[in-house]
Amino acid sequence: MKLKVLIVYGTRYGTAAEIAEEIGKTIKNRGIQVEVMDAKKAIKDKDLSPFDMIIVGSGIKMGKWTKEALKFLEINRKTLPTKKVALFVTCGDANFEETKKRAWKNYLKKVAEEKLEKEPVSMGLFGSVYDPNAKHGLVYKLAMLFYKSQLDKMGIDTSERVDFRDWDEIREWANRLADKLV
């Protein structure tokens, strides 16, 4: 019987989607069937029975998961304990050592405790993308001023898009997930 993984992601600007696709590609290279799906589509009656593992991820904006990814976890709360479940987030807080613990606690541990009935087999915390040209609301733009000042202090050119995702780390995490299946 072929092992099968479902990766569900919530994204606002595409960052989490790109990570989900890379996780899927990495796991698929291990000979495991993978389906990658936007949470907006997955929350509508997705049959989880064929899957051995469910990976759910989200981008973080203003300290929150996407509502669709959270809704997927809520709708499937009773089914998920019968599966191996992993969570991941992509957020700016993962870019700085001093904020990683807070990000881990608030974006992964908290969601796992509130939305899952059993502990996930793994949780991944990945950097995000800083894009000064992305369309954001006023409150978010104001909050980003602090983030921009941190980047400026580090000598990072904040006039351009900066990708803080560590693709090797993401692939290593995906391979560890595949190891939990085989």
Side-chain angles (χ1 to χ4, degrees):
M1 184 175 94
K2 189 103 168 160
L3 295 169
K4 202 166 182 187
V5 173
L6 174 65
I7 304 171
V8 175
Y9 64 87
T11 194
R12 294 176 183 91
Y13 305 106
T15 306
E18 292 169 352
I19 290 173
E21 290 293 339
E22 188 63 26
I23 291 167
K25 186 171 91 176
T26 302
I27 293 173
K28 188 175 183 178
N29 286 341
R30 298 281 301 273
I32 299 168
Q33 287 184 351
V34 176
E35 185 176 339
V36 180
M37 179 175 264
D38 188 324
K40 290 175 185 172
K41 295 177 183 143
I43 57 177
K44 294 186 172 90
D45 301 321
K46 181 65 182 168
D47 178 15
L48 303 184
S49 62
F51 299 97
D52 301 288
M53 180 181 281
I54 313 293
I55 303 168
V56 183
S58 179
I60 300 295
K61 181 177 177 184
M62 301 294 290
K64 295 188 181 350
W65 276 54
T66 60
K67 64 184 178 201
E68 295 86 4
L70 289 175
K71 183 138 180 118
F72 176 83
L73 292 172
E74 289 168 12
I75 288 172
N76 294 291
R77 187 178 186 113
K78 298 296 182 199
T79 304
L80 291 174
T82 67
K83 307 290 179 184
K84 291 179 180 182
V85 175
L87 302 177
F88 77 87
V89 294
T90 174
C91 65
D93 287 353
N95 300 331
F96 304 105
E97 285 304 318
E98 66 271 13
T99 58
K100 276 187 178 181
K101 283 184 183 174
R102 181 177 53 115
W104 188 268
K105 178 183 169 199
N106 292 334
Y107 308 146
L108 288 166
K109 293 282 288 174
K110 183 179 179 184
V111 168
E113 289 168 2
E114 291 177 357
K115 304 294 181 190
L116 299 176
E117 293 187 10
K118 75 176 190 181
E119 194 169 324
V121 296
S122 185
M123 295 188 288
L125 175 65
F126 307 118
S128 191
V129 173
Y130 172 81
D131 187 352
N133 301 313
K135 303 281 186 243
H136 298 287
L138 179 62
V139 174
Y140 184 77
K141 284 182 182 178
L142 291 172
M144 288 304 289
L145 289 176
F146 174 72
Y147 188 57
K148 180 185 179 309
S149 72
Q150 286 182 303
L151 298 177
D152 288 336
K153 286 179 193 172
M154 295 168 62
I156 295 171
D157 180 4
T158 56
S159 67
E160 299 291 327
R161 183 179 190 267
V162 182
D163 190 340
F164 289 102
R165 295 170 292 182
D166 181 335
W167 293 103
D168 288 336
E169 176 188 14
I170 292 165
R171 286 186 282 273
E172 287 171 20
W173 186 73
N175 273 312
R176 286 193 305 272
L177 289 177
D179 289 343
K180 293 177 186 295
L181 285 169
V182 293

